[in-house]
Structures are given as C-alpha cells and as structure tokens.
Amino acid sequence: MAYKHSYGAPRRRLKIVPLIIAILAVALVLAGVYFLVGTLGKEDAHAEYEEYNEKNKGYGTVEQFKEESKNFYISVFYPKTDNKNLNKIVTDTYESYINEEKKNKNTKEDVLYMDYSIDRVFKQYVTIKLDFKRIDFENKKTLVHKQELFTFDSKTNKKLTVSDCLRGKYMDLLTSLNASEVTATTNTLKVGTDALTIYTDDKLENNISIKYTDNKDYIKLANKNIPSNAPTNIAAPKQQKEIDPNKKMIAITMDDGPHKTLTQRAMTAFEKYDGRATFFELGNNVVLYPDVVKDVYERGFELASHTKSHSQLTKLSADKLDSEIGDTQNAVFKITGIEPVLVRPPYGAQNDTVKAAFKSYGLTSVLWDIDTLDWKTRNAQKVCDSIVNEAADGKIVLIHDIHETSIAGLELALPILHEKGYQFVTVSTLYQYKGTN
Ligand code: ZN
C-alpha cells in the first residue's frame, strides 16, 4: 500500500505537469504572436520616421539616434565625419533639441525626427543643415519645426561667422545688397565653390549671394581656390595661457611701430611671463617690415591700427581719412590674413566723422590710461618708474616701440609688475575680462 501510495502520488502529478506545460506553451505561442504582430504594427506605423533623404549626404556617414518611450518616439539622423569638433557640434545641437522638447510634456505620443544635408567644398568648408521636427503622431501634425544651417571650417575648427568670411567695409556691401539685418556674428551661411551665401531669415527662405570673383577685396576666407588677398602660409597664433580673472591684469600698448628690431625685443620681454601686448602699428611701417608683422601675429600678440601715416585725422578729407584707415587694414591683412579690430587715432584726435569712419571698418577706438611720455624723457629708468608707479588693475599703458629707451624701460618694469601679481594682456583680452570702460 505504502508502495502503491507512494507510487500513486507521482502518477497523479505526472498527469498535471504535461497539462500545465501544454497550457503554458499555448499561452507562450499566443503571446509571441500577439507581441510580434503588435511590434510589426508599431514598426510599420513608424516606418516613415525610419527613413532619411539619401540626397545631399556627400560627406561622412549617416548615423541614427533612436529612443522609444511612453510619450516619445525619437528618430534622429545625423552625420558623423572624421572631424571630432564638428561631430560634437552636431550631437550637442540635436541633444539640445531633444532635451528642450522633452520639457514640453504631452499625453499622447509625439515623434521627434531629424534629417540633414551635408556638403563639403575645397576639403575645408563643411556646410550642414539640420532639419528637426516634433510631430503629433496620431494626427501627423508638425508641432515644432527647427532648422539650423552653418558652415564649419575644418582648418580653424570653428563655425564661421560673417566676420570670418568678409573683411574691409563689408557692412557697406551688405547694405548695398539690402541685407542690413546681417551682422558680424551671423552664422547662417554657406561657403560654396563660387560664392558665399548668407541667409537673412530664420526659416532660411531668403538669402544673398556674394560671388568671390566680383568681390575679391571683401573676401577674408583663406583657401587657394577662393580669390582673395589672404595669405595661405600663416601659422596659427600662439595662445596665451589661461588668464586668471581674479588676478590683476594690465594692457601695455606700443605705438608707431613696427620697428625692425625693437618690436621683437619687446615681445621677448613679455614672453618671459607668458605675457601679451597690443601693437598699434602705422600702415607705412607695416609695409616696410612685413616679417616683423607676421611674427607679431604668429607669436600671439595683438595687431592694432594706428592708421597709415600718423596724420591728425580730424583735419583730413573723407577720401584721405578712408585711405589712412583702409590702407592699414589692407596691409595687415595681406601679411597675416586678419585685420585689426582696434585703432588708436594719432594724438588721440577724433571727432564724430572719424569715429564713423572707424566704425565702417568694424574698428573700435582705444586711447590710454597711463601716458609714460617715453618719447619725451627718452630715459629707461623714467619709463620704468612711470609704468610701475601708475600701474593699476585694468589699466592701459602707452609707450612707443620705436625708442630703445622705451623698450629698455619696459624690460625693467615687467619683472616688478610680475612680482606684484600682474598678468600682461592685450587690449582685447582686457576688454573681454573688464569690459570696454
Ligand atoms: Zn603715435
């Protein structure tokens, strides 16, 4: 009995187990079919967001970022290139689009979809247009549409602005093309093979086109395939170490150069402390010493304008005033590929006419706080004393790099100021940290 009994129990269990297995199996198959059909149905519904336009994708590979959640179906196509900096700009842009849209909650499903076009010319300029949409999935209605177009320069590794592409009195050119809404920092632009295209509205519907061949004197882009006066053999300027905004800084400026030897001697003095300075140069001397000017640029010092021939600008005719400023801009540009953004009028003489002329070249006028009168005393110790005694945080000092005594005085002053905790900066750097006042 015990045997039977003990035998009987497992037998009864044996009957139940297959039944459970069978039920489970059927349930599993049904669930699988249901799941498969469901998924396929959903995939089908999203199919149109799983596609991208194959045209205009001539550079890099097509990548997709995908995410499905309760309220969002995200399908973002973006380009991946061999340039890390560009890739970062692209991913940062679409991630910020997504994050911004996720903040706007919805009850039903919305689709976040992005397609793009990419174009590279002369192996240097990459133009990307990103087209991002938020779509109400059920009603197929576009709720948000954002477009972004920009051009990336793979040589300088930055997004180009109008002031990176155009030079001289380009604001006058833009006005003549009825594009006065375009500013120096506008970056909705495309560098094409024959022309620069600047978009004049957010929807990218209107644009102006500037043909390189017709506007050579306005073109700043440095590429051998683009007609311009830019040199193509210039090294990137040596960057100053990071500035400590909490430490004192002073901008020592030198007028009337460049000088064939003293300008470089001055730079060497600053470099002992990883310092920089601004040189307000005369156009006539720039033409005389192009190698010094190139050196100033490549060593990371600031090239500024002191106009062409040291005339008193307030007494000049409009034409003469224009050439005093314009010729100096042209001379510096031909050597370095950059133009001064700061100008110091000789004798500090300026009026509204002069200021308007500066502005038409994008120039800001800079005077000084501390006048060492170095041209008068011609005594190194006196120059040094003047700098050291009057030095204060945020001040602009004036000396001249055409007198040996001035540079000798500078060499005496720098170690003392360094000891007092000063950082030696260009005027532009000083403005960046302390404002223009
Ligand atoms: Zn001067």
Side-chain angles (χ1 to χ4, degrees), residues 99-243:
N99 292 335
E100 205 177 306
E101 291 310 320
K102 278 185 173 174
K103 279 186 211 154
N104 277 324
K105 293 261 166 56
N106 44 305
T107 48
K108 286 182 181 170
E109 185 187 281
D110 280 354
V111 176
L112 304 182
Y113 175 79
M114 190 177 89
D115 199 357
Y116 71 93
S117 62
I118 187 167
D119 187 24
R120 185 170 69 149
V121 301
F122 307 139
K123 291 188 174 173
Q124 185 178 353
Y125 306 106
V126 185
T127 302
I128 293 181
K129 186 182 167 190
L130 303 175
D131 197 280
F132 180 89
K133 283 176 181 165
R134 177 179 183 139
I135 303 151
D136 173 343
F137 178 67
E138 203 175 284
N139 301 309
K140 305 264 181 250
K141 203 180 143 204
T142 300
L143 304 170
V144 175
H145 188 188
K146 287 176 194 167
Q147 285 175 301
E148 185 154 336
L149 182 144
F150 63 89
T151 294
F152 180 84
D153 182 344
S154 14
K155 259 198 190 144
T156 56
N157 274 322
K158 56 178 271 198
K159 258 189 197 180
L160 292 174
T161 64
V162 164
S163 67
D164 296 319
C165 303
L166 297 176
R167 58 168 298 265
K169 285 162 72 169
Y170 69 84
M171 280 302 171
D172 290 2
L173 173 71
L174 295 173
T175 306
S176 75
L177 294 167
N178 292 319
S180 40
E181 64 272 46
V182 174
T183 68
T185 56
T186 298
N187 62 12
T188 46
L189 57 88
K190 178 181 169 68
V191 175
T193 48
D194 307 316
L196 173 73
T197 305
I198 305 170
Y199 292 84
T200 52
D201 65 329
D202 289 346
K203 292 185 170 170
L204 309 174
E205 282 164 358
N206 302 299
N207 65 63
I208 53 160
S209 179
I210 297 166
K211 263 198 128 196
Y212 304 136
T213 45
D214 301 340
N215 297 284
K216 193 179 168 210
D217 289 343
Y218 289 110
I219 304 301
K220 193 171 178 181
L221 297 164
N223 181 289
K224 61 178 172 27
N225 299 298
I226 298 177
S228 84
N229 301 317
T232 48
N233 59 339
I234 297 296
K238 200 165 172 277
Q239 295 295 313
Q240 185 171 20
K241 264 188 282 176
E242 208 157 320
I243 299 298

Side-chain angles (χ1 to χ4, degrees), residues 307 309-316 321 324 345-347 349-350 354:
T307 74
S309 67
H310 217 278
S311 304
Q312 192 169 328
L313 304 177
T314 49
K315 293 183 172 169
L316 300 181
L321 175 61
E324 279 289 326
Y347 318 104
Q350 55 186 342
V354 171

